[in-house]
Amino acid sequence: VVGVSSFGYSGTIANAVLEAAAAASALPPSLPPLVYKRRSFPWYEAKDKGLPPSCRLAGCMRASSALRRLRRLPDAAAHVQLQSLTLDASEELSEWLRARREPLVLLCRGPVGGAGALLLLDAATVVVADTTFTLSVQPEGSVRLQRRPAGRATATTLSASDAAQAGLVDSALSPATAAAESRRLVQRLSSLPAPLLKTCRSLLPAPSVDAALVAMGSLFPRPPRSIGKRLVRLYVDGESKVAVVELNDPSRMNSFSAELAEDVAEAAASIGRDPLVKAIVLQGAGPHFSVGGNPFQREKAGVPLAAVAFGCRTLYDGFGALYKLGVPMVAAVHGKLIGGGVAACLHADY
């Protein structure tokens, strides 16, 4: 038996299976010697769920008028068409775009310009332009873009292909293809799980490939925490208003784990809700402050390296949150202090 599989950019998988017979004469004439199957790969062909939520911005518009239309979009992936649009900017429009977490797919047609239009291009998840699109760019830079490389645009008016080359739009297609592709993208984004969308929005694009892999490691599902005691004790002295954060896993010499890191972060959040706290003491229960990482706590087989790297990075988020509270923090160290325990103490002021 011989099998051949082919995966193409169009999103299809073709499988051919050939099986040799004992003798050619033994094959019934009605049975073909070759079986060929072609199946669509589901990530590319999103199921048609009807028209996606959309709005159309056209002509010469004020930012306030555009914002009224944009605010009618639901909290879901949405389709926004820019048709021969000139749009000015405003702080309210900029703030709304920064606050929105759901995907925006832009379809750009005809001449588009203005500082507000650049803000929309910068904030959109995907920008699809058709061949009629042109973009007016102000080299003096009245708008500071955060996600798209405006510095690569050297001309004041860019064609669709020039804007795609400069990174201001993601693709330049024929009018019919652009319309269909933008709708397909909205439907595809609508089916993605919320954690993936949140990660892509908050942690990507990353400064390096390694940083991107660590960010995507946050998507690996962690097993639920087993029932047991909390590994950090928190108490606040009522008279002095000093908060004491104590690592409380003495049987394992306060070695670091995901559970201990989670409890440190919760303690930091609790202190942050009390505006009267004047100082923080970080200490360890038992004979030792902390021996750092636990060499006996192995990751389960099958956990991706990116997930392990993300877990290592988040171990210290709670200590960083304590430092960011802005009150003096003292590390009261005793016994052994090894490895990651030293890194935890470096977040303290004394």
Side-chain angles (χ1 to χ4, degrees), residues 85-305:
L85 175 69
T86 301
L87 177 65
D88 62 358
S90 71
E91 185 60 34
E92 290 79 8
L93 176 62
S94 178
E95 181 61 31
W96 184 85
L97 291 171
R98 283 196 300 267
R100 181 177 171 87
R101 291 292 175 262
E102 294 73 23
L104 280 179
V105 176
L106 298 190
L107 172 61
C108 300
R109 291 172 161 170
V112 173
L118 287 175
L119 286 176
L120 283 169
L121 294 179
D122 188 46
T125 310
V126 183
V127 180
V128 180
D130 69 18
T131 50
T132 67
F133 168 75
T134 59
L135 177 64
S136 298
V137 179
Q138 297 176 348
E140 61 270 18
S142 60
V143 176
R144 181 178 178 84
L145 302 186
Q146 302 294 326
R147 304 179 69 208
R148 296 187 179 268
R152 293 170 59 185
T154 57
T156 56
T157 302
L158 302 175
S159 65
S161 58
D162 291 339
Q165 187 173 5
L168 293 170
V169 303
D170 297 299
S171 57
L173 308 170
S174 66
T177 305
E181 179 69 3
S182 61
R183 288 193 296 269
R184 185 191 70 82
L185 287 170
V186 175
Q187 292 174 348
R188 185 69 187 97
L189 289 169
S190 301
S191 65
L192 293 180
L196 176 59
L197 289 175
K198 181 180 179 181
T199 298
C200 291
R201 181 73 182 184
S202 60
L203 300 180
L204 300 176
S208 67
V209 174
D210 291 338
L213 289 173
V214 172
M216 300 316 290
S218 66
L219 299 175
F220 189 79
R222 278 184 56 192
R225 181 171 179 170
S226 58
I227 299 177
K229 70 171 187 177
R230 290 292 175 176
L231 303 182
V232 171
R233 289 193 296 193
L234 169 65
Y235 52 94
V236 179
D237 183 77
E239 184 176 351
S240 64
K241 295 301 179 184
V242 173
V244 178
V245 178
E246 184 178 65
L247 310 182
N248 186 32
D249 194 10
S251 62
R252 290 181 288 189
M253 294 179 285
N254 300 320
S255 58
F256 287 173
S257 63
E259 292 77 16
L260 185 139
E262 177 184 326
D263 292 349
V264 173
E266 288 188 6
S270 179
I271 296 172
R273 292 190 290 267
D274 187 349
L276 299 179
V277 170
K278 298 179 180 179
I280 300 171
V281 173
L282 178 64
Q283 64 185 33
H288 304 291
F289 181 88
S290 176
V291 296
N294 186 349
F296 302 102
Q297 185 180 21
R298 302 295 184 185
E299 292 288 346
K300 293 182 179 179
V303 177
L305 180 61

